[in-house]
Amino acid sequence: DRFAEAATQHARTTLAHHFREDASSVHVVEFDEATGARLARKTWQGVSDASAWSRGQAWALYGYTMAYRASGEADFLAQAQRVAELVLNHPRRPGDGVPYWDYDAPAIPDAPRAASAAAVIAAALVELAGLAPDDRDRYLAEADLILAALAQDYLVADDLDEPFLLDHSVGSVPGGFEVDVPLTYADTYYVEALLRRQRLADDRPALGSR
């Protein structure tokens, strides 16, 4: 119970401080350790402090979906759905649903894609479909679009001597590392999305549910 309350309060604090009016999220919020006052909002791995770094938006969608599943707090479900609308309707979202590394990347449409963000989004949408029945079919259709794109165009090449499934992820463009490469967490959420989707198709309990 103590851990559950700490996690729930963390989600409430994040909801209050990380999000802009359009439901996009900043990456880092700095607080005064003594007073708890918010000092600054920054995005270290995105284009700028004002941009929508795609993996950050994916974490927001995933995080509030999971927070609602665990807590039942209606505000968390509402936030997950707000972020879902942002990522699904963003004017710079590519047709295959696999986002650029930042929705405000200056080189779009030639900016690197972020397969890891796509995998997180897909895993979240499949879970959210089971929590928001009115939007179930739409969320599943969008997840299926992403999963199909990842399977068709983002798998590692046969001659790549690395133990990965997905290629074309981005760690940090500003930091100059892990750009257009396979990443472990991309595979983690890709497999999770596939497992969740299969369980839903088989009408089995959702992954991680009680």
Side-chain angles (χ1 to χ4, degrees), residues 130-182:
L131 302 172
D134 289 347
D135 293 296
R136 173 189 170 97
D137 291 346
R138 176 167 169 250
Y139 291 154
L140 289 180
E142 294 288 357
D144 288 345
L145 172 72
I146 294 170
L147 292 173
L150 292 176
Q152 179 172 329
D153 298 319
Y154 294 83
L155 296 180
V156 297
D158 291 340
D159 60 353
L160 181 64
D161 188 24
E162 297 286 351
F164 293 99
L165 297 175
L166 293 178
D167 202 353
H168 309 302
S169 287
V170 174
S172 175
V173 169
F177 61 86
E178 296 178 338
V179 177
D180 195 25
V181 297

Side-chain angles (χ1 to χ4, degrees), residues 13-193:
T13 300
T14 300
L15 180 57
H17 294 283
H18 271 72
F19 292 93
R20 309 181 184 101
E21 288 298 319
D22 66 354
S24 66
S25 173
V26 300
H27 182 191
V28 176
V29 177
E30 295 181 2
F31 295 96
D32 185 292
E33 292 184 18
T35 67
R38 189 174 77 197
L39 301 177
R41 303 204 297 179
K42 301 180 179 180
T43 297
W44 293 346
Q45 288 179 263
V47 169
S48 71
D49 292 344
S51 72
W53 171 53
S54 65
R55 197 165 67 251
Q57 313 320 302
W59 294 138
L61 172 58
Y62 187 96
Y64 280 95
T65 298
M66 298 302 103
Y68 173 69
R69 189 185 74 183
S71 71
E73 290 206 14
D75 286 349
F76 296 165
L77 176 60
Q79 188 63 16
Q81 293 194 276
R82 288 187 70 220
V83 179
E85 293 308 307
L86 171 77
V87 300
L88 296 178
N89 296 309
H90 199 285
R92 288 181 289 281
R93 181 194 187 213
D96 64 0
V98 179
Y100 300 102
W101 71 277
D102 192 301
Y103 288 100
D104 301 298
I108 291 173
D110 298 320
R113 298 292 192 93
S116 63
V120 175
I121 290 169
L125 287 174
V126 175
E127 187 70 17
L128 188 58
L131 302 172
D134 289 347
D135 293 296
R136 173 189 170 97
D137 291 346
R138 176 167 169 250
Y139 291 154
L140 289 180
E142 294 288 357
D144 288 345
L145 172 72
I146 294 170
L147 292 173
L150 292 176
Q152 179 172 329
D153 298 319
Y154 294 83
L155 296 180
V156 297
D158 291 340
D159 60 353
L160 181 64
D161 188 24
E162 297 286 351
F164 293 99
L165 297 175
L166 293 178
D167 202 353
H168 309 302
S169 287
V170 174
S172 175
V173 169
F177 61 86
E178 296 178 338
V179 177
D180 195 25
V181 297
L183 292 172
T184 302
Y185 48 84
D187 288 359
T188 297
Y189 287 94
Y190 180 51
V191 171
E192 182 177 81

